Amino acid sequence: MPLEVVEVKARYGCHRASFVAEDGKIFTIMGPNGAGKTTLLNLIAGFIKPTNGIVKLNGRQIEHLPPYKRNIAYLPQDYSLLPHYNVLENLLFPLRCRKVTPEDQKKKAREWIERLKLETLLDKYPHELSGGERKRVALAQALVYDPEVLLLDEPSSNLDLEHQKRLRLEIKRIKTELSIPILYVTHNLTEAEEVSDTVGFMFDGVLIATGSLDDLLLNASNEKIKAFFGHPNILEVESARRLDGPLYEVVCKGMGKLIVSCSEPPTQIIAYPWDIYLSLIPPPGPNMNRFKGKVLSVEAGPSGEIFVSVEVGKQSILAVTTNKTFLQIKPFSDVFIIFKFQRLRAIPSSSNHC
Ligand code: ATP
């Protein structure tokens, strides 16, 4: 078991957390401000001593070890590069500290320079780098000594959307190539959706749930989780017609037809705002689960997401996008929405889940 955390507790911030993070997978930690996410990373990295619990890395118990003996890469929110060293020296420094031979230092540094495309930055000093470049260098510096796990605390913070996307792609590539567990703290659902294999939800110092993002979004019974993830669109079903396989064509009150996956006739359809695509032009592809509507209101969220309320028939549907064009859009403009088929939750009359 690559990274195993059992009943870990600190004097402050983290009261109970247990989970397993697998090799080659991203375990995302979500939760509101002050939930204990950073404290949990600090406990794993060794910057805070646990008062209880076990941390195991590849079978080795490490909770009693100082940070430098844990072989863990950590990119905290307030990371800093060595200001008097240039990029190349910043990459060599962790290797020198670990007494790697000069030849291997060069080899490892070269490997990460290529991986994160730092070739043109090697002579620059940290204050001469852009935010995105600094982050890539910090990531290379964290990974250059072959750590057994990577901890990332809100890695996308302070980056524009394009650089956030690029960084996330790089992190996913690293996940596949290094096959180590990655712990990824974020508040942002779009980001969590893009990177996560498993998600852990923290509230008030306790890791209260773990599972796929879908598990948390669709089956969470905990009110804290529901409040954090926001409120879904709930569509009442007026009639349902069975199609081939476990599929139904349903007529939703005030809106029209949707195709959903369900083994029994559903009575309600639930769609979360981030499970709806928005487009200003008619989207290509089949017409299924696609509607034309009018923009009612647009609101910017705290992490770059944009909430758009759309009138479709007699229904008001809330969708979320990161497309900044929507910030300029005028009320009552035409917009197209597509419900992501796999993410629609159909509630049959006989049970709570489908
Ligand atoms: P955010 O999303 O805002 O970064 P978080 O989930 O990472 O929050 P933590 O930073 O881990 O939360 O903080 C958890 C709790 O621990 C908070 O109540 C915080 O005030 C407390 N805390 C953090 N650091 C210390 C400290 N050094 N001493 C005492 N309490 C602390």
Side-chain angles (χ1 to χ4, degrees):
M1 280 198 211
L3 174 69
E4 197 182 355
V5 172
V6 186
E7 293 287 317
V8 162
K9 176 175 166 41
R11 272 205 328 280
Y12 61 82
C14 180
H15 308 306
R16 197 175 65 248
S18 298
F19 66 94
V20 174
E22 306 283 353
D23 274 344
K25 304 275 184 213
I26 297 183
F27 185 96
T28 304
I29 303 168
M30 302 190 80
N33 288 120
K37 304 179 296 293
T38 300
T39 308
L40 181 58
L41 293 192
N42 281 327
L43 277 164
I44 295 165
F47 296 111
I48 297 176
K49 278 207 168 132
T51 53
N52 186 56
I54 294 171
V55 181
K56 272 189 185 172
L57 191 49
N58 290 317
R60 181 172 66 111
Q61 213 163 319
I62 59 165
E63 74 277 353
H64 56 287
L65 295 177
Y68 65 91
K69 289 199 174 157
R70 293 191 180 198
N71 206 19
I72 287 177
Y74 186 16
L75 195 60
Q77 271 188 66
D78 55 355
Y79 71 91
S80 55
L81 296 169
L82 297 161
H84 305 298
Y85 282 177
N86 67 22
V87 167
L88 180 61
E89 289 159 346
N90 262 285
L91 294 189
L92 294 173
F93 181 76
L95 297 164
R96 232 177 20 240
C97 292
R98 285 169 176 77
K99 309 224 176 331
V100 173
T101 63
E103 199 172 311
D104 285 344
Q105 283 179 33
K106 277 190 214 142
K107 206 167 113 198
K108 286 306 301 177
R110 209 176 308 123
E111 182 185 323
W112 281 98
I113 289 162
E114 275 170 28
R115 269 204 167 116
L116 290 175
K117 306 200 172 35
L118 306 174
E119 292 86 350
T120 56
L121 307 176
L122 298 183
D123 296 330
K124 289 195 171 181
Y125 286 81
H127 71 275
E128 297 173 312
L129 301 172
S130 72
E133 290 167 346
R134 240 192 325 270
K135 206 143 265 182
R136 270 167 39 230
V137 174
L139 193 58
Q141 190 190 48
L143 288 163
V144 75
Y145 54 82
D146 293 334
E148 290 167 73
V149 60
L150 171 63
L151 313 180
L152 298 166
D153 197 353
E154 306 225 19
S156 294
S157 60
N158 304 323
L159 296 182
D160 62 34
L161 287 176
E162 197 187 316
H163 283 88
Q164 287 185 20
K165 268 220 151 91
R166 177 171 173 187
L167 185 76
R168 293 204 281 267
L169 277 176
E170 270 154 2
I171 291 168
K172 284 203 287 186
R173 196 156 42 85
I174 286 166
K175 162 185 114 157
T176 317
E177 286 176 12
L178 300 195
S179 197
I180 57 173
I182 299 179
L183 262 54
Y184 193 115
V185 168
T186 180
H187 287 101
N188 184 321
L189 251 166
T190 316
E191 185 169 4
E193 185 172 35
E194 203 177 306
V195 301
S196 310
D197 293 294
T198 309
V199 178
F201 187 84
M202 274 198 100
F203 190 88
D204 211 5
V206 180
L207 190 75
I208 59 176
T210 57
S212 68
L213 190 56
D214 276 359
D215 289 342
L216 294 196
L217 290 176
L218 302 182
N219 299 321
S221 53
N222 188 301
E223 286 304 319
K224 312 277 189 306
I225 301 178
K226 279 189 183 162
F228 180 80
F229 285 123
H231 291 282
N233 298 290
I234 299 176
L235 305 165
E236 299 298 329
V237 172
E238 286 184 331
S239 63
R241 182 170 69 92
R242 183 156 198 146
L243 304 175
D244 284 346
L247 287 181
Y248 276 86
E249 182 188 80
V250 298
V251 177
C252 296
K253 194 173 171 186
M255 198 182 77
K257 286 179 188 168
L258 278 176
I259 308 274
V260 296
S261 167
C262 196
S263 50
E264 293 172 48
T267 54
Q268 280 185 328
I269 307 297
I270 295 182
Y272 276 85
W274 44 90
D275 294 336
I276 298 169
Y277 285 118
L278 282 172
S279 172
L280 292 169
I281 51 164
N287 226 357
M288 184 175 118
N289 295 355
R290 180 208 282 197
F291 297 85
K292 188 174 172 186
K294 295 220 179 289
V295 172
L296 292 176
S297 64
V298 179
E299 203 178 309
S303 316
E305 70 275 35
I306 298 159
F307 291 95
V308 184
S309 172
V310 180
E311 184 183 62
V312 182
K314 290 181 185 152
Q315 276 287 346
S316 166
I317 301 288
L318 186 66
V320 73
T321 178
T322 51
N323 181 349
K324 282 190 184 151
T325 322
F326 279 91
L327 288 173
Q328 267 92 50
I329 205 94
K330 294 212 168 52
F332 304 111
S333 303
D334 284 347
V335 66
F336 294 87
I337 67 170
I338 302 175
F339 291 89
K340 294 183 196 172
F341 170 72
Q342 278 111 333
R343 305 298 296 268
L344 285 172
R345 185 186 176 207
I347 313 288
S349 51
S350 59
S351 81
N352 293 324
H353 305 297
C354 197

